[in-house]
Amino acid sequence: MDGIGAVLIDIDGVLTVSWEPLPGAVRAMERLRAVGVPLALVTNTTSRTRERIADLLAGAGFPVGAEDILTAPAVTAAHLREHHPGARCLLISSGDVRGDLSGVTLVDQEDADAAVPDVVVLGGAGDAFTYAALDRAFRLVQQGAALVAMHRNLYWRTADGLALDTGAFLLGLERAAGTEAAVTGKPSGAFFAAALTHLGARPEQALMVGDDIESDVLGAQHHGLTGALVKTGKYRAGTLEAAEGSPDHVLDSFADLPALLERLGH
């Protein structure tokens, strides 16, 4: 297959901000659908299930369904089933993503003392990231529990501006506990491999579009994909200048993607 044969697309900051579509994003997605570009929406969002994300995007006009979406929680579930089968897992996450954690035994916060967790799983930051919850995670890891994080993003873009995300807390927890978490979302190789398998594409055939220079773009490029950074969402010029690599392509927004694909020979 010549040129780009599949596209991976981040959601938050690329298609939407606080689930409101960015200018031109719906039209660009419609153009991709019209020419039959195989695509997957790949997101570290940990506050909603695939089905709920699909409902929100469809309600905003995007021609997508749950089958088009790959989430960090879904990849985390696969990781836990493979590497910690039957483990008792304490989930600390804002938002309910249990629907994407099939086959995983979850221990409720109030039951964690009676059924001591084998794994601490960090999802999305928010009100659930209290001192008590993080201190419990710290103590459990010290006692031998494995630490798994759905991602290590430091912040994300909301309608009110940038907000702290899981990575800001994870760094401190890792340092305090003297350990390193297994990270399952972008930019892990397992995440990109799952998306490529879903699309039936090889890395050299695929383009990743994101607003996070590290997790989305350079992460994808490190695993053999072509990367395109959009200047929306969490994009900041200073972050791009300080990055340890350069994106293959830089776009003003997702609205410019169809033109890029034409140039690359889809």
Side-chain angles (χ1 to χ4, degrees):
M1 184 184 296
D2 295 329
I4 297 299
V7 180
L8 281 59
I9 306 164
D10 184 33
I11 298 175
D12 194 23
V14 176
L15 301 179
T16 66
V17 167
S18 294
W19 302 105
E20 291 296 324
L22 288 166
V26 171
R27 176 56 182 155
M29 182 70 75
E30 291 172 341
R31 290 178 63 185
L32 297 187
R33 288 300 200 193
V35 297
V37 177
L39 58 86
L41 307 188
V42 291
T43 177
N44 278 350
T45 296
T46 52
S47 60
R48 293 170 173 81
T49 62
R50 295 167 62 243
E51 287 75 13
R52 180 55 181 152
I53 291 171
D55 288 343
L56 288 168
L57 292 176
F62 290 99
V64 299
E67 67 279 4
D68 298 312
I69 299 170
L70 181 66
T71 66
V75 176
T76 299
H79 172 88
L80 292 170
R81 291 192 299 266
E82 178 180 356
H83 296 282
H84 302 281
R88 299 180 299 275
C89 300
L90 175 64
L91 174 66
I92 302 175
S93 183
S94 297
D96 187 5
V97 293
R98 292 170 181 253
D100 279 353
L101 294 173
S102 60
V104 176
T105 300
L106 296 176
V107 176
D108 291 334
Q109 291 275 2
E110 56 269 22
D111 297 331
D113 291 331
V116 179
D118 305 299
V119 183
V120 174
V121 181
L122 296 187
D127 292 342
F129 276 51
T130 64
Y131 174 81
L134 292 172
D135 186 55
R136 173 175 284 184
F138 171 58
R139 294 174 184 272
L140 288 170
V141 172
Q142 284 184 303
Q143 294 166 11
L147 180 61
V148 174
M150 295 186 186
H151 63 79
R152 59 169 69 251
N153 293 356
L154 295 172
Y155 53 84
W156 83 98
R157 172 73 65 179
T158 73
D160 297 322
L162 296 177
L164 283 178
D165 209 344
T166 302
F169 302 92
L170 179 60
L171 286 170
L173 182 57
E174 288 176 319
R175 181 72 177 272
T179 190
E180 184 173 347
V183 178
T184 54
K186 294 175 293 181
S188 74
F191 192 99
F192 288 115
L196 292 174
T197 297
H198 175 72
L199 293 174
R202 299 189 304 273
E204 65 271 17
Q205 298 172 312
L207 173 73
M208 173 70 212
V209 185
D211 66 327
D212 187 315
I213 180 63
E214 299 291 346
S215 293
D216 293 337
V217 181
L218 297 183
Q221 292 176 192
H222 176 73
H223 294 291
L225 291 77
T226 300
L229 177 69
V230 292
K231 294 182 177 181
T232 55
K234 66 171 64 174
Y235 167 84
R236 292 189 293 179
T239 303
L240 174 58
E241 293 169 1
E244 296 184 358
S246 300
D248 294 318
H249 304 279
V250 178
L251 304 175
D252 285 336
S253 73
F254 182 75
D256 297 324
L257 180 62
L260 173 65
L261 290 179
E262 289 180 8
R263 295 197 303 272
L264 296 179
H266 171 77

